[in-house]
Amino acid sequence: MANVACIEELKNAILDFDEDAAVTAAEKIIKEGVSPMDAIDAMGDALKVLGDKFQIMEVFLPEILLATDAFKAGLKVLEPELMKTIDAGSFQEKPKVVIGTVKGDVHAVGKDMVATMLTVGGFDVKDVGADVDSEVFITAAEEFGAQIIGLSALMSTTMPSQKEVIDFLEAKGLRNKYKVIVGGGPVTPQWAEQIGADGFSKDAVEAVELAKSLLK
């Protein structure tokens, strides 16, 4: 029962946006020999709960950001244990995603949430940050060996930068090498289709499903 209690404690730390409590619970999980994967799944469940609450405006962006910070803090504690339980080969087989917020846009909260959920969903994620040049996305994808490039834009004025990345891929003769997914507040499925993206997601949970479906 102690095992269940400390996993519940970790899940509640995420739901309470409490970074310190997440670290404490994660340390307790390692001490008690609980599966780190079970712990990460529990944190992922908590983020999904908050994602649903965000959709119906029961929680707001600052709280989502705090929850994401708590998730990352817990994950940092659990990661070394996770590496011991999973052999390196299975890590190499994870599908790889490069994600960032496009040039001119400094918003990171939505992108951070998607990156976190993709990690929980079994992807190897390289987050290149916010206000990112088109060339940086492509260089990162090439170096990382990514199959998917995720482009976030939180302002209508920066949406054209999503198209610029796709145009850049076309110009380099690399377009067919990557699946490009787009998202962000003002982004629509129509816009995704217009610029030749491979898919659109309205939120972090949907982004994981989209990424999985594109690689099938």
Side-chain angles (χ1 to χ4, degrees), residues 63-76:
E63 293 160 318
I64 293 291
L65 182 56
L66 289 171
T68 304
D69 286 344
F71 174 91
K72 286 178 180 174
L75 187 63
K76 193 174 179 182

Side-chain angles (χ1 to χ4, degrees), residues 159 162 182-195 197 199-201:
M159 283 166 57
Q162 292 179 323
V182 295
V187 180
T188 63
Q190 292 76 19
W191 170 250
E193 192 176 337
Q194 186 183 324
I195 64 173
F200 155 84
S201 72

Side-chain angles (χ1 to χ4, degrees), residues 7 10 44 54 58 102 104 125 131 134 148 186 193 197:
I7 282 190
L10 180 60
F54 178 67
E58 280 186 17
V102 293
V125 180
D131 191 17
S134 298
I148 295 173
E193 192 176 337

Side-chain angles (χ1 to χ4, degrees), residues 13-116:
I14 308 298
L15 292 170
D16 294 337
F17 330 116
D18 192 333
E19 196 173 323
D20 292 338
V23 170
T24 302
E27 287 169 346
K28 197 181 288 185
I29 277 163
I30 290 169
K31 192 177 175 184
E32 295 190 8
V34 180
S35 159
M37 202 62 236
D38 287 350
I40 290 167
D41 284 345
M43 291 199 298
D45 289 343
L47 284 178
K48 284 173 191 165
V49 169
L50 291 172
D52 291 342
K53 287 188 173 185
F54 178 67
Q55 291 298 325
I56 56 173
M57 297 180 74
E58 280 186 17
V59 297
F60 299 94
L61 276 178
E63 293 160 318
I64 293 291
L65 182 56
L66 289 171
T68 304
D69 286 344
F71 174 91
K72 286 178 180 174
L75 187 63
K76 193 174 179 182
V77 174
L78 295 165
E79 243 170 358
E81 287 302 309
L82 191 64
M83 294 298 283
K84 289 179 197 171
T85 60
I86 303 176
D87 64 83
S90 64
F91 266 83
Q92 288 160 6
E93 290 162 19
K94 279 186 175 184
K96 294 183 174 183
V97 181
V98 163
I99 189 169
T101 309
V102 293
K103 184 69 182 167
D105 199 325
V106 297
H107 295 88
V109 178
K111 178 263 302 169
D112 286 351
M113 186 73 182
V114 173
T116 300

Side-chain angles (χ1 to χ4, degrees), residues 160-172:
S161 294
Q162 292 179 323
K163 181 179 187 297
E164 189 181 285
V165 176
I166 293 170
D167 290 346
F168 207 109
L169 284 168
E170 293 278 8
K172 290 270 189 183

